[in-house]
């Protein structure tokens, strides 16, 4: 039913709307209001995401002062209701909310941990497009993950390192923080003159007046919340293009320019090479952010501009750029399928290494950190499709994941394998997919029954000995 019709029916049945329990039986078109689900029910992060609506766009506007660490923000979410709704939740762990409106109407709300519970009045009808405007001010929190890493809003000596996998996004903006609710984003960020604010997507404008600079960034393709960044600091900015014309924007902490130059200079060639084997680069621009963040020990594939902490190696650059296809454009439906991100990105690095004259993918497969590990190693005792939240960024999703792809390539042959990974990117572009879908695609492309193969590689513990 279209939104207009739903609205008209709602207006005609105004009296019943106030008494949905009485109205419903005799009036099938009458709204039946209920609360949207408090999460999408992903067992790894049970609070993430929300039911009852689908976010279409985030407009995140704030000023940030690196010296005081004070943020003054207004985030406007545009969403469509997927049910008649009298209450809904957002995920938010940020500072104090000073005002919240649904459309033009102030709405009451409560907060409990990551859950921001909103009571919209008037109520929302299924199919209705609505906005939620949240004003908040203060210092966004650092979030500690099950593996002990920090993420979210991580202050640095000149700004903030901002990363959100797997649960950091609600530190700095309210939303629906599960990989299955992708949306477009616009960021409007004001910082002291001389400081740079770098976000996902393309720089629409950069204006300095009265000692502050406002950066407007537009992320035009759908993005999962965990891939959002707005990293702030002193940066050496460079703009160029790949050989096929994709804009490249890099922002590197001046103290890290020398150490990351080799990796940063290879971005255009990597994008070209990966496009040749994975299919067209999925986004309107590319680049990288290299920031000094002493207590952060990882890089992240923030969409269009992966972020690196303290250093960027060539191998990590290849890994994060490959994630743009596998992870960012095609995203797991559930966190337990993280190998679909990390195994692909790791395998892409093996391919890059071989492509540039280093070890072959077969040699890397055989090495002591991969298949060469002893069968008695605890490495083999984790099931690839269920690493748990503590080890979801540990060796198994990365290395067993990459090994699985290399073994599959041997099993189905190069032609079928490279068609499979290209089709996987094309068929699931901007969407979500799971291991079962990958197995179906592999069987379809190869024409083979791969039950036994995937059983030993992804569903069972132990070192596969034959497949
Ligand atoms: N996906 C990132 C990468 O492999 C790693 C993120 C790690 N995050 C964490 N909280 N441990 O490129
Ligand atoms: Zn990765």
């Amino acid at each position: 039913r279209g939104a207009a019709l739903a609205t008209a029916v709602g207006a005609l049945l105004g009296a019943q709307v106030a008494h949905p329990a009485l109205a419903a039986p005799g009036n099938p078109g009458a709204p039946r209001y209920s609360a949207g689900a408090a999460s999408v029910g992903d067992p790894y992060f049970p609070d993430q995401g929300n039911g009852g609506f689908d976010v279409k766009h985030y407009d995140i506007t704030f000023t940030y002062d690196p010296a005081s660490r004070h943020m003054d923000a207004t985030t406007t979410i545009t969403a469509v209701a997927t049910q008649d709704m009298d209450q809904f939740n957002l995920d938010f762990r940020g500072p104090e909310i000073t005002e919240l409106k649904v459309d033009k109407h102030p709405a009451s709300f409560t907060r409990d941990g990551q859950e921001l519970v909103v009571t919209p009045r008037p109520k929302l009808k299924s199919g209705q497009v609505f906005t939620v405007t949240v004003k908040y001010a203060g210092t966004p929190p650092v979030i500690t993950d099950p593996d002990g890493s920090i993420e979210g809003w991580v202050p640095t000596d000149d700004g903030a390192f901002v990363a959100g996998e797997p649960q950091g996004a609600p530190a700095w903006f309210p939303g629906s923080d599960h990989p299955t609710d992708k949306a477009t984003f616009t960021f409007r960020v004001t910082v002291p003159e001389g400081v740079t604010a770098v976000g996902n997507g393309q720089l629409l404008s950069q204006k300095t007046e009265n000692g502050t600079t406002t950066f407007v960034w537009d992320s035009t393709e759908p993005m999962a919340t965990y891939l959002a960044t707005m990293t702030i600091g002193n940066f050496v900015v460079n703009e160029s293009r790949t050989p096929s014309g994709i804009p490249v924007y890099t922002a590197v902490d001046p103290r890290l320019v020398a150490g990351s130059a080799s990796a940063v200079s290879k971005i255009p060639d990597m994008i070209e090479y990966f496009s040749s084997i994975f299919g067209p680069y999925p986004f309107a621009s590319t680049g990288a952010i290299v920031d000094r963040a002493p207590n952060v020990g990882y890089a992240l594939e923030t969409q269009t501009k992966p972020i690196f902490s303290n250093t960027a190696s060539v191998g990590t650059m290849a890994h994060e750029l490959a994630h743009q296809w596998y992870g960012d454009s095609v995203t797991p439906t559930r966190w337990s399928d993280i190998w679909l991100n990390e195994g692909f990105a790791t395998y892409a690095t093996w391919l890059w290494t071989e492509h540039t004259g280093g070890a072959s993918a077969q040699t890397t497969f055989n090495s002591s950190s991969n298949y060469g590990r002893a069968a008695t190693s605890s490495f083999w005792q984790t099931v690839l499709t269920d690493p748990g939240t503590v080890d979801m960024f540990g060796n198994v999703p990365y290395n067993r994941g990459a090994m699985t792809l290399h073994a599959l390539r041997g099993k189905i042959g190069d032609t079928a394998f490279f068609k499979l990974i290209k089709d996987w990117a094309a068929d699931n572009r901007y969407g979500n997919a799971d291991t079962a879908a990958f197995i179906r695609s592999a069987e379809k492309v190869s024409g083979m029954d791969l039950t036994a193969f995937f059983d030993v590689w992804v569903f069972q513990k132990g070192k596969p000995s034959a497949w």
Side-chain angles (χ1 to χ4, degrees), residues 26-282:
N27 298 285
R32 292 161 179 260
Y33 295 104
S34 59
S39 88
V40 303
D42 188 317
Y44 278 32
F45 295 95
D47 294 338
Q48 284 190 350
N50 305 283
F53 62 96
D54 178 19
V55 178
K56 295 297 184 192
H57 186 74
Y58 292 91
D59 184 308
I60 301 172
T61 300
F62 61 81
T63 60
Y64 186 72
D65 176 29
S68 65
R69 300 182 176 178
H70 184 81
M71 174 187 281
D72 206 330
T74 302
T75 290
T76 300
I77 297 167
T78 304
V80 57
T82 55
Q83 67 181 56
D84 299 327
M85 200 158 61
D86 55 9
Q87 181 187 301
F88 62 86
N89 284 32
L90 293 170
D91 301 306
F92 189 50
R93 301 209 235 176
E96 189 189 351
I97 295 174
T98 55
E99 186 181 296
L100 193 154
K101 286 184 177 172
V102 176
D103 295 326
K104 295 257 140 52
H105 315 284
S108 61
F109 61 90
T110 58
R111 296 182 71 170
D112 181 11
Q114 150 161 354
E115 300 305 317
L116 167 58
V117 184
V118 180
T119 307
R121 291 295 179 271
K123 299 171 186 178
L124 300 164
K125 296 177 193 72
S126 184
Q128 185 177 335
V129 175
F130 63 100
T131 60
V132 187
T133 302
V134 186
K135 289 188 194 292
Y136 46 102
T139 301
V142 175
I143 308 289
T144 301
D145 292 327
D147 68 2
S149 309
I150 55 168
E151 57 158 334
W153 191 269
V154 181
T156 59
D157 60 3
D158 59 6
F161 174 98
V162 181
E165 188 184 30
Q167 51 167 2
W172 61 288
F173 64 94
S176 198
D177 186 37
H178 190 263
T180 48
D181 195 351
K182 297 189 182 189
T184 53
F185 284 70
T186 304
F187 307 92
R188 304 164 209 277
V189 176
T190 301
V191 290
E193 182 174 357
V195 176
T196 301
V198 196
N200 313 91
Q202 296 74 248
L203 183 60
L204 287 189
S205 66
Q206 174 178 340
K207 286 201 186 79
T208 299
E209 55 186 21
N210 305 325
T212 65
T213 305
T214 299
F215 294 80
V216 180
W217 290 94
D218 203 19
S219 185
T220 43
E221 297 87 15
M223 177 165 78
T225 46
Y226 78 89
L227 298 169
T229 189
M230 180 48 63
T231 289
I232 293 169
N234 299 321
F235 290 113
V236 177
V237 170
N238 250 292
E239 292 185 78
S240 63
R241 283 182 187 266
T242 67
S244 59
I246 298 164
V248 182
Y249 183 107
T250 60
V252 182
D253 186 302
R255 297 163 291 192
L256 305 173
V257 167
S260 58
S262 169
V264 170
S265 71
K266 291 186 175 61
I267 294 172
D269 285 350
M270 287 179 175
I271 294 291
E272 291 299 295
Y273 172 64
F274 288 145
S275 300
S276 77
I277 55 174
F278 302 153
Y281 176 71

Side-chain angles (χ1 to χ4, degrees), residues 301 319 323 342 345 398:
E301 60 268 28
H319 179 106
H323 268 311
E342 302 306 345
Y398 290 67

